[in-house]
Amino acid sequence: MSRIVYVNGAYVPENEAKVSIFDRGFLFADGVYEVTPVVNGKLVDHDAHNERLDRSLRELKMAWPCGVAELTAMHKELIKRNNLHEGIIYMQVTRGVADRMFNFPKDITSSLIAFPQVMKLVDNPNARTGVKVVTTPDIRWLRRDIKSIMLLAPVLGKEEAYQQGAAEGWMVEDGFVTEGTSSNAYIVKDNTIITRPLSNRILAGCTRRALFRLAKEHHVKIEERLFTPAEAYAADEAFLSSASQFVMPIVEIDGHRIGGGQPGPVVRKLREIFLEEAQA
Ligand code: PLP
């Protein structure tokens, strides 16, 4: 059965959805996006995604395509129309449609599209075994704090990881891990979680934000600082976080086994408490 997707105010079957070739998202990647998880037919932490969307739009001087309440209602309508039990809703806003010019066109209206994807988020088999990661150079621009649809560098990084039999690429800049191609990066040493502090060099993950809150509630220590691949190889545990992976254990980095090649106790506990809240 074909999905029902959303395009600028209309719910249509996916094979009937159309956007203009003059859309600036298509021509310049002049747009931003969000991915919100859905568990048991309900949006998880959607307010955090709306807040980050607001920030991304403001940083790019792009107008909201509709009100916040309307955006949330649209997400819920897509869940309903597609009978989505578990997966994600992808949404993207672009600056809109105009004849091709680099500077911002005057009186332009933002475009908004969205669609669901069915995924196994809770019972993800990878979470039982853990995944492999390889490091790759971070060749992205310097506004990674904006959730831009300009994703060619992460596409190349992810493909390189897949070619090497890994599930994710950890990007490295100036000798330090920045983040995954589509996730935040963490190591654990002596029961303390170590992750890079927020800046323009990484995306402020909504899952990261929720994890910080949950770790605090459960008295798990987090240290925000840079770490090198060598430090990661010697870590007790490692994991990544994102809206579609939640908390995912990592058991190998660049061929180095982490924590004996099994998901460790800290990451298992974090995933468990994250899932408890997502399913509540
Ligand atoms: N970092 C990057 C580069 C990402 O693309 C993503 C998600 O797509 C994340 C981190 C994790 O963010 P979130 O937890 O909001 O999905």
Side-chain angles (χ1 to χ4, degrees):
M1 200 183 77
S2 134
R3 281 172 292 189
I4 300 296
V5 304
Y6 175 93
V7 185
N8 292 321
Y11 296 91
V12 292
E14 64 180 70
N15 54 355
E16 288 172 27
K18 287 190 176 57
V19 290
S20 166
I21 65 159
F22 294 106
D23 190 287
R24 288 177 63 93
F26 182 61
L27 294 176
F28 295 109
D30 189 1
V32 298
Y33 74 107
E34 281 297 330
V35 171
T36 306
V38 174
V39 173
N40 294 335
K42 280 194 283 195
L43 294 163
V44 178
D45 211 6
H46 193 229
D47 290 346
H49 290 274
N50 282 341
E51 272 176 44
R52 187 173 60 190
L53 174 66
D54 183 54
R55 184 177 180 283
S56 295
L57 289 171
R58 272 189 288 115
E59 291 295 318
L60 295 178
K61 299 183 172 56
M62 212 176 277
W64 265 80
C66 59
V68 183
E70 216 180 312
L71 189 67
T72 300
M74 180 270 275
H75 277 66
K76 290 182 176 167
E77 189 63 26
L78 276 181
I79 292 171
K80 198 169 124 198
R81 289 187 188 227
N82 289 284
N83 204 10
L84 181 66
H85 178 68
E86 196 170 307
I88 57 129
I89 301 285
Y90 174 93
M91 62 123 306
Q92 111 176 11
V93 181
T94 67
R95 199 177 302 277
V97 176
D99 202 1
R100 188 174 185 274
M101 60 172 84
F102 277 76
N103 56 309
F104 299 171
K106 293 226 162 21
D107 303 325
I108 192 165
T109 307
S110 305
S111 302
L112 172 62
I113 63 104
F115 56 81
Q117 283 183 319
V118 174
M119 284 183 196
K120 261 194 167 183
L121 305 183
V122 176
D123 194 19
N124 183 340
N126 283 345
R128 270 174 255 142
T129 55
V131 296
K132 295 180 186 178
V133 160
V134 290
T135 55
T136 176
D138 197 335
I139 59 167
R140 297 174 300 165
W141 74 331
L142 291 177
R143 290 307 309 274
R144 304 160 193 163
D145 53 315
I146 298 170
K147 201 164 166 64
S148 157
I149 60 170
M150 186 184 59
L151 292 173
L152 196 47
V155 164
L156 295 177
K158 186 83 87 186
E159 178 58 21
E160 192 189 311
Y162 272 59
Q163 292 293 337
Q164 294 187 46
E168 179 60 302
W170 270 11
M171 295 181 286
V172 176
E173 185 177 58
D174 302 330
F176 295 98
V177 174
T178 51
E179 59 185 330
T181 63
S182 61
S183 57
N184 288 116
Y186 312 76
I187 57 172
V188 181
K189 192 75 184 171
D190 300 329
N191 293 314
T192 297
I193 297 169
I194 298 156
T195 195
R196 193 177 178 110
L198 296 182
S199 71
N200 63 311
R201 307 271 164 167
I202 64 167
L203 183 74
C206 292
T207 320
R208 180 188 187 277
R209 179 168 137 176
L211 272 181
F212 269 55
R213 178 174 49 74
L214 290 170
K216 199 169 173 199
E217 279 169 26
H218 288 79
H219 311 289
V220 181
K221 214 176 130 203
I222 300 186
E223 208 178 303
E224 284 184 278
R225 65 166 174 83
L226 275 56
F227 63 88
T228 63
E231 193 178 359
Y233 304 155
D236 298 333
E237 301 180 41
F239 63 96
L240 59 85
S241 77
S242 78
S244 59
Q245 306 272 319
F246 292 155
V247 183
M248 181 58 67
I250 292 168
V251 292
E252 195 181 301
I253 305 172
D254 288 341
H256 300 266
R257 269 165 54 142
I258 310 298
Q262 300 285 332
V266 174
V267 61
R268 278 193 278 119
K269 176 80 187 160
L270 278 178
R271 185 171 173 90
E272 189 187 302
I273 56 181
F274 191 92
L275 287 181
E276 246 169 51
E277 187 169 270
Q279 289 173 290

